Amino acid sequence: MAPSKKGGFATVYTAPLARLIEQLQRLPGVGPKTAQRLALHILKRPEDEVQALAQALVEAKKRVGLCQVCFHLSAEPVCPICRHPNRDKTTICVVADSRDVIALEKTREYNGLYHVLGGVISPMDGIGPDLLNIQALVRRVSQNSVQEVILAISPSVEGETTTLYVGQLIKPFTKVTQIAFGLPMGGDLEYADEVTLARALEGRRELMS
Amino acid sequence: MAPSKKGGFATVYTAPLARLIEQLQRLPGVGPKTAQRLALHILKRPEDEVQALAQALVEAKKRVGLCQVCFHLSAEPVCPICRHPNRDKTTICVVADSRDVIALEKTREYNGLYHVLGGVISPMDGIGPDLLNIQALVRRVSQNSVQEVILAISPSVEGETTTLYVGQLIKPFTKVTQIAFGLPMGGDLEYADEVTLARALEGRRELMS
């Protein structure tokens, strides 16, 4: 076989391909191998399809902002959920991130409004209450006839801190509840961690007969 | 909690976000969940970064074509490998796909040229020899002083068929070899499949002392 000469090697990727792979690698969970696979796939697709993807990227970034009322992702100043005539305006579910709104909407179980904090209080990461949409929530709750605020923030240390902090601020204005934590449905008690089990015990309810 | 009213639900994603998720799902190995994660991540990135990704997509698709000589992905009419002064022009390694060229280049062990067939013969999928860059290879081999053609096609049924077919066609013009198949380095003999083991035995060589 032809002997290897270091000088003999051109760069493995042609420039535009290298740039695409580099860009794709910036996406979460996309390593060099995945980036290469995606890039080579894209080169095989018809041009209009690639254009459509590029278009969708730019359009989404350009047009999707935050709802002025609840800070959920929205292409309009006020999101469809806040505008919807059939939704219960007296209940606000407080979540950390827009993806939590999406998850809750998919359950189709909740018909109230939302309030997206945009994160959780995390001094380690320099995220104080003032960096979150907390004052806006207090204003919302104090100025409108809100009957219940449901705190639905993941039970991490930061999440719990945020729940307590927000809870204290809005208790004066309305009833404040927190979503239940416990054994996940289909979860096996034997394999549940101590903290979850403790929460499940603490949150026990009388059996309806 | 606010009662659920079917009528009360707006679409979960705002239109531009839905379109982006739909487009991302067309990528290989990207399901609904990954597409949503990628889309929400993209919305959080600065606009110039998103523009750069979109740009890279369109540019790569626009500018990257196939090398006139070896059919490897290239932004120029003739790829850097074919043009490179230090590469051995008398050896051609035949592969099925451009990703095979990339894999071989990464080994830095091969200093000859390549020829990308653009697939393997697969009657089931309606891919006959005429749909692959085989005639171009025969022309290349017959018209240039090629001393060795290395067939490096994956040992699937279609791959083997392609290797035999191409081998027959170019044997009249030059020496034809095939890459070795056998136990992968670090592979455990105990767990190797029968076919691989058979190939490893068949391909045995005298031990150099």
Side-chain angles (χ1 to χ4, degrees):
Chain A
M1 183 191 280
S4 163
K5 297 202 206 68
K6 260 208 177 305
F9 291 98
T11 42
V12 176
Y13 301 111
T14 173
L17 179 56
R19 272 192 295 276
L20 176 55
I21 291 174
E22 182 198 324
Q23 287 297 329
L24 289 169
Q25 277 194 63
R26 293 159 160 264
L27 297 172
V30 177
K33 290 214 163 193
T34 310
Q36 177 188 307
R37 205 177 80 253
L38 292 175
L40 292 178
H41 168 87
I42 285 158
L43 291 181
K44 284 200 171 81
R45 307 306 305 160
E47 179 147 5
D48 59 347
E49 195 174 310
V50 180
Q51 286 282 5
L53 172 55
Q55 184 74 21
L57 281 162
V58 176
E59 276 297 299
K61 182 59 192 177
K62 267 219 189 76
R63 294 189 39 207
V64 179
L66 299 183
C67 169
Q68 295 171 353
V69 180
C70 72
F71 299 94
H72 179 39
L73 293 169
S74 173
E76 303 92 19
V78 176
C79 77
I81 297 175
C82 288
R83 284 204 324 269
H84 206 291
N86 298 10
R87 300 211 51 143
D88 172 4
K89 309 270 187 301
T90 68
T91 311
I92 296 178
C93 181
V94 178
V95 295
D97 194 282
S98 265
R99 65 169 57 88
D100 303 323
V101 174
I102 291 165
L104 284 160
E105 282 298 287
K106 283 178 174 172
T107 68
R108 301 190 138 267
E109 284 301 321
Y110 179 67
N111 193 42
L113 303 183
Y114 292 94
H115 190 88
V116 180
L117 297 178
V120 289
I121 299 171
S122 174
M124 307 286 280
D125 311 313
I127 301 174
D130 46 325
L131 287 177
L132 306 174
N133 308 318
I134 294 178
Q135 282 316 313
L137 173 63
V138 175
R139 245 176 280 116
R140 253 182 106 179
V141 174
S142 58
Q143 286 163 17
N144 305 285
S145 60
V146 176
Q147 275 159 34
E148 181 179 2
V149 169
I150 303 162
L151 300 174
I153 299 165
S154 304
S156 63
V157 175
E158 294 80 7
E160 294 284 77
T161 314
T162 310
T163 297
L164 291 173
Y165 181 89
V166 173
Q168 291 306 325
L169 281 177
I170 54 181
K171 260 185 192 151
F173 307 104
T174 179
K175 176 182 169 196
V176 181
T177 60
Q178 181 181 20
I179 56 166
F181 300 116
L183 208 61
M185 298 308 292
D188 188 330
L189 194 139
E190 182 182 357
Y191 299 119
D193 60 284
E194 299 75 5
V195 188
T196 303
L197 272 184
R199 283 300 205 108
L201 278 170
E202 176 197 336
R204 66 189 181 280
R205 293 206 251 143
E206 199 172 334
L207 196 61
M208 300 303 164
S209 56
Chain B
M1 183 191 281
S4 163
K5 296 200 206 71
K6 261 206 177 301
F9 292 100
T11 41
V12 176
Y13 302 111
T14 173
L17 178 56
R19 273 193 294 278
L20 175 56
I21 291 174
E22 181 198 325
Q23 287 296 329
L24 289 170
Q25 277 193 62
R26 293 159 159 265
L27 296 173
V30 177
K33 289 212 164 194
T34 310
Q36 178 189 306
R37 204 177 80 252
L38 292 175
L40 292 178
H41 168 87
I42 284 158
L43 290 181
K44 283 200 171 81
R45 308 306 307 159
E47 178 147 6
D48 58 348
E49 195 175 309
V50 180
Q51 286 281 4
L53 172 56
Q55 183 75 20
L57 282 161
V58 176
E59 277 297 300
K61 182 60 192 174
K62 268 219 189 74
R63 294 189 38 208
V64 179
L66 299 181
C67 170
Q68 294 170 353
V69 180
C70 72
F71 300 93
H72 179 40
L73 293 170
S74 173
E76 303 92 18
V78 176
C79 78
I81 296 175
C82 288
R83 285 204 322 270
H84 207 290
N86 299 10
R87 302 217 40 149
D88 172 5
K89 308 270 187 297
T90 68
T91 311
I92 295 178
C93 181
V94 178
V95 295
D97 195 282
S98 265
R99 66 168 56 90
D100 302 324
V101 174
I102 292 166
L104 284 160
E105 282 298 285
K106 283 178 174 171
T107 67
R108 301 188 136 269
E109 285 301 322
Y110 179 68
N111 194 41
L113 304 183
Y114 292 95
H115 190 87
V116 180
L117 296 178
V120 288
I121 299 169
S122 174
M124 307 286 280
D125 311 313
I127 301 173
D130 46 326
L131 287 178
L132 305 175
N133 308 317
I134 294 176
Q135 282 316 313
L137 172 64
V138 175
R139 247 177 278 115
R140 252 182 107 180
V141 175
S142 58
Q143 286 163 18
N144 305 285
S145 59
V146 176
Q147 276 157 33
E148 181 180 2
V149 170
I150 303 161
L151 299 174
I153 299 166
S154 304
S156 62
V157 175
E158 294 80 7
E160 294 285 78
T161 312
T162 310
T163 298
L164 291 173
Y165 182 90
V166 173
Q168 292 305 325
L169 281 178
I170 55 181
K171 258 183 192 153
F173 307 105
T174 179
K175 176 184 170 196
V176 181
T177 60
Q178 180 180 19
I179 56 165
F181 300 116
L183 208 63
M185 297 310 290
D188 187 331
L189 193 139
E190 182 183 357
Y191 299 120
D193 60 283
E194 299 76 5
V195 188
T196 303
L197 272 184
R199 283 300 207 107
L201 277 170
E202 175 196 335
R204 67 189 179 281
R205 296 208 249 140
E206 201 171 333
L207 197 62
M208 301 301 165
S209 56

